[in-house]
Amino acid sequence: MKKNMQMRRSIHSLILLLLLLGCENKSLEKFDSVIDHAEDQFEYAISQIEIEKVDETIAPRTFESGKIKLVPAEDWTSGFFAGNLWMMYELTRDAKWQDLALQYTLPLESEKWNDENHDIGFKMYCSYGHAIKYINNPEYKDVLIQSAKTLCTRYSPVVGCIRSWDSLTDQWDYPVIIDNMMNLELLMWAAKTTGNDSFREIAVKHAQTTMKNHFRDDYSCYHVIGYDPQTGAVVKRNTHQGFADESDWSRGQAWALYGYTMMYRETGMEEFLTQAKHIANYLISTEGVSENSIPYWDFEAPNIPNEPKDASAAAVISSALFELYGYTKDGDHLSVAKEIMNALISDQYFASVGENGGFLLKHSTGSKPYKSEIDVPLVYADYYFLESLIKYKAYANM
Ligand code: GLY
């Protein structure tokens, strides 16, 4: 079944690649109009957020029941909106976006001490990590270096991984989730910036342990691995946000692809490129992604096609595939990334200005099993969508 899908996909991709190459300029023009549209939508978003904000809330996360949900700095999603504004600055070079981006970045500073979970990488690298590209302020670097040190306090040399959560102790002693791969980028940045190799050693070991224990033979992955903190042995393999322990939670597969692509970029280690290619092949050959380019929230959700989609997983996959294409020059990687982007900018997924709470994309799913954020906009879907746009433009100039 998967072989047939792969063959169909390859022929389809070849035709599409030829068509897409012929239409490259047209597509780029289309993406320029997407950026104009995003500017209008973010202006609307900010006008709404400023009305809704209360003291402890600093950034938007989603839009539910006609209301923007704002979160405090400790929420795992608190850095993405700042990142979105930094990427608007990258895409437009209009100083207005830099000013706004900084305004949404600075309130995150105190999170550099937050050692309660692994999410510090998402929060700090997706906000301050952009700020340091444009503003040479040593204080911002110090914030990131402290954040990396804080993340390292969660590392166990016995397990060879950073512990993801301290909560849910009734289920896991030492849980490590596939999402954790994303936070290694902060450590790789810290290693390069400080010259302290221990950041890199922890990131590499975490990625290697995850490669050994999180993946099935077909390169799909589990969401959560429960380790024995005394011995480092795997105790159980589960899901938390997916349909079942043995199913493929879409965003988890997306984090895996992105994580190993990024680790190859940062280390040049062939084993990570090989892993990223295997995961990409798995994703491209599976019905999960091939159906309409935008995956359902779980590839094995029980009521497909009557299940919600997850545009956030699609955006993460697209961003990773554009980058992976830069390393592999595999036409399938490029054409699937473009297919996803074309689906995301269709009326079905791309919101009109003034709707959707000011978020760009519709139809993401946070956690279906917990009946939370089902078929809603999510700030991190917009983040990886904007990153894909930047990578798309970079590819067009290659
Ligand atoms: N890292 C949390 C999530 O992907 O939902």
Side-chain angles (χ1 to χ4, degrees), residues 7 58 74 115 138 143 155 158 176-177 213 222 248 259 325 366 377:
M7 199 183 294
I58 65 157
E74 59 263 30
D115 62 358
V143 169
Y155 178 74
V158 175
V176 179
I177 61 174
N213 295 328
Y222 292 92
D248 300 352
Y325 170 73

Side-chain angles (χ1 to χ4, degrees), residues 309-320:
K309 296 272 186 153
D310 185 10
S312 76
V316 174
I317 292 169
S318 156
S319 177

Side-chain angles (χ1 to χ4, degrees), residues 210-280:
T210 299
M211 202 155 85
K212 190 165 74 175
N213 295 328
H214 253 87
F215 289 85
R216 306 185 184 99
D217 290 347
D218 64 359
Y219 295 98
S220 65
C221 68
Y222 292 92
H223 184 195
V224 191
I225 302 294
Y227 288 95
D228 179 335
Q230 312 306 328
T231 64
V234 172
V235 179
K236 39 183 163 169
R237 295 180 161 92
N238 307 105
T239 195
H240 182 59
Q241 282 157 264
F243 164 61
D245 289 345
E246 290 300 330
S247 74
D248 300 352
W249 174 51
S250 305
R251 201 161 53 253
Q253 315 310 306
W255 294 143
L257 176 67
Y258 192 116
Y260 284 96
T261 305
M262 175 275 294
M263 281 303 282
Y264 174 66
R265 179 217 309 145
E266 295 298 325
T267 64
M269 290 169 69
E270 283 297 321
E271 63 191 278
F272 297 146
L273 179 62
T274 305
Q275 184 73 2
K277 286 199 269 192
H278 283 313
I279 301 166

Side-chain angles (χ1 to χ4, degrees), residues 12 17 33 35 67 108 188 201 215 227 296 351 386:
H12 182 207
L17 185 63
S33 76
I35 295 164
K67 218 172 148 39
L108 286 152
M188 294 306 298
E201 281 160 17
F215 289 85
Y227 288 95
Y296 293 97
L386 289 171

Side-chain angles (χ1 to χ4, degrees), residues 343-359:
L344 291 177
I345 62 167
S346 70
D347 289 347
Q348 195 183 346
Y349 288 94
F350 200 52
S352 301
V353 173
E355 66 165 29
N356 207 35
F359 293 90

